[in-house]
Amino acid sequence: MTTIRSFMTDDHRRCDDLFAEAEQAVGKGDWVLASATFGHFRSAMLAHFDSEEKTLFPTFEAKTGMRQGPTQVMRMEHEQLRSLMVDAADALQKANAEDYLGLADTLVIMMQQHNIKEENMLYPMCDQHLSAESPAILERLETELCDE
């Protein structure tokens, strides 16, 4: 049985793989490919954030009444990550390796920390509190993430 945790964790790995493709293109000095692959990564991340913020978090908050807890922290981190992705995309378009690599290092660290919190704390809480709604939530998340 697919859980919210396993489904969303798999999507984190998909985003990580897309980010790694962009890093490989930067390593080869192929700025056109790097910009394109980073664009795919950024689109996947934004779709992931949007599905959490539009579907998962509001459902969790409505069920538990926890509106100032982990979902609020995740939303703040999403904003920080969105800003870093904008800056990294700008660095790629300017073919500025030094700026991009610095931003990419920060982005990797923040994504890892963010994903660990979601995978080890928030998603298990969602599975625990939303077990009755889980099939419908998973269907909606899958639709949203496939529409990217």
Side-chain angles (χ1 to χ4, degrees):
M1 179 180 136
T2 302
T3 62
I4 292 169
R5 180 183 185 185
S6 65
F7 180 81
M8 295 304 279
T9 297
D10 287 347
D11 198 57
H12 281 165
R13 300 300 165 261
R14 183 176 68 90
C15 292
D16 291 346
D17 291 344
L18 292 170
F19 185 76
E21 289 178 26
E23 290 291 292
Q24 290 172 357
V26 169
K28 294 175 184 171
D30 187 340
W31 294 103
V32 173
L33 180 61
S35 287
T37 54
F38 189 84
H40 295 304
F41 156 73
R42 187 171 164 200
S43 293
M45 287 289 289
L46 293 176
H48 185 95
F49 293 165
D50 287 348
S51 68
E52 288 178 332
E53 293 172 2
K54 291 178 183 170
T55 299
L56 186 59
F57 295 172
T59 307
F60 175 80
E61 291 165 345
K63 182 77 172 198
T64 64
M66 285 191 269
R67 291 178 169 71
Q68 302 299 315
T71 53
Q72 183 181 24
V73 172
M74 296 302 109
R75 284 186 179 100
M76 289 187 308
E77 291 181 6
H78 287 174
E79 287 308 310
Q80 293 170 334
L81 290 165
R82 284 181 176 110
S83 178
L84 276 171
M85 289 189 291
V86 167
D87 293 344
D90 288 345
L92 281 174
Q93 289 209 334
K94 295 174 184 169
N96 185 329
E98 186 176 331
D99 282 354
Y100 175 77
L101 294 173
L103 290 162
D105 286 346
T106 303
L107 195 53
V108 164
I109 292 167
M110 287 187 64
M111 284 189 312
Q112 288 173 340
Q113 292 173 344
H114 178 81
N115 291 351
I116 287 170
K117 290 178 208 170
E118 287 185 336
E119 293 168 13
N120 294 326
M121 185 182 67
L122 183 58
Y123 297 155
M125 290 171 70
C126 289
D127 282 325
Q128 179 184 6
H129 292 284
L130 303 174
S131 60
E133 299 90 344
S134 185
I137 293 169
L138 287 167
E139 184 177 323
R140 189 164 169 192
L141 292 172
E142 187 172 351
T143 300
E144 291 169 351
L145 292 175
C146 290
D147 286 345
E148 68 174 85

